[in-house]
Structures are given as structure tokens and as C-alpha cells.
Amino acid sequence: MTIMTGYEIFWPLLAHVALVYGLYALLGARRAKMVRAGKIAKSDYRENRDEPAESLAVKNCLANQFELPVLFYACCILLYVTEADNIVAVGLAWLFVALRYAHAAVHVSSNDLRYRSPLFAAGYLTLAGMWLWLAAWMVMG
């Protein structure tokens, strides 16, 4: 049996941070490609009103990483502070991050809502489970 070190809840959080950095790199690469292809002038990114679809999908996906995941970060920290960061909480955190990666992969590729929406919903419910776990822990504590 593996002994919890007390920091396991932060590994999924760091994995999500890696996703955000990866999306920034992808956004930069796609924007550079659009400039080289002549689809947009570099100066057009100043006000960013007519972003080509290829990079707009990444930009929107990146913006999504600062919406629902903000609640994920807060929950992880609160789980740690209240010492509710056990195997259940860590498992839910990893599931949430895996779903965010899957959601992002669909968002920056096909952007097909038939796949993206259920992935978002599953992440939403997983995060709700994390908050419920925290609340139950505090009530029972």
C-alpha cells in the first residue's frame, strides 16, 4: 500500500498547469503559422478582432482553462488545508484533469460539440463531486 505524502493533491493541479502552458505554446505556433501564411498580419493581434479560426479555437480553449478550473484550484487548496486530500479527492482531481485534457484536445482539433459538451459536463460533475467531498469532510470532521 502506498503512503500518502501529503502533496498528492497538487500533482493533478500541476498537470493542469502543464496543459495551460501547452495551450499557450500551441496558440503561439498557430498564430505564427497564420502570419507566415498571410492569413493575418502580425499587427492585427494587437486588438485581436479577426483571429483566424485555426488559432481562435486555441485562444477560446485557453480562456476556458481560467473558468471552471479556477474552482478546481480553490478546491484542491481547500482539500489540502482541511486534510481532506485523501485517495478519493486525489482520484477525483486526476479525473477532472484528464477530462480537461480530453476537452482541450477536442476543442483545438475538431471542436465538435457532440464530443466536447459531454466531456465538459463530465468535468463539471467531477468537480462538483470534489466540492461535495470537501463539504462532507468538513461536516463529518
Side-chain angles (χ1 to χ4, degrees), residues 63-134:
N64 285 170
Q65 304 313 314
F66 296 97
E67 294 169 356
L68 191 59
V70 170
L71 294 175
F72 171 70
Y73 291 139
C75 191
C76 286
I77 292 165
L78 290 171
L79 287 163
Y80 178 78
V81 168
T82 61
E83 297 181 357
D85 57 335
N86 55 26
I87 193 72
V88 172
V90 172
L92 287 169
W94 275 117
L95 178 58
F96 176 78
V97 171
L99 289 164
R100 293 308 298 173
Y101 269 83
H103 179 266
V106 172
H107 204 162
V108 302
S109 60
S110 69
N111 204 12
D112 191 330
L113 289 178
R114 290 177 300 166
Y115 303 111
R116 203 176 104 206
S117 292
L119 289 166
F120 176 84
Y124 173 87
L125 292 173
T126 300
L127 184 57
M130 289 177 66
W131 282 101
L132 288 172
W133 180 258
L134 174 64

Side-chain angles (χ1 to χ4, degrees), residues 31 34-46 50 52:
R31 282 180 170 177
M34 296 298 106
V35 169
R36 284 193 306 276
K39 292 187 177 184
I40 193 167
K42 191 176 183 179
S43 61
D44 289 341
Y45 286 116
R46 247 181 269 148
D50 295 318

Side-chain angles (χ1 to χ4, degrees), residues 19-31 48 51-66 104-109 111 116:
L19 173 62
V20 170
Y21 273 90
L23 288 169
Y24 273 117
L26 180 60
L27 179 61
R30 287 204 182 166
R31 282 180 170 177
N48 207 9
E51 181 137 7
E54 295 90 333
S55 56
L56 181 60
V58 181
K59 179 184 171 197
N60 289 341
C61 181
L62 190 55
N64 285 170
Q65 304 313 314
F66 296 97
V106 172
H107 204 162
V108 302
S109 60
N111 204 12
R116 203 176 104 206

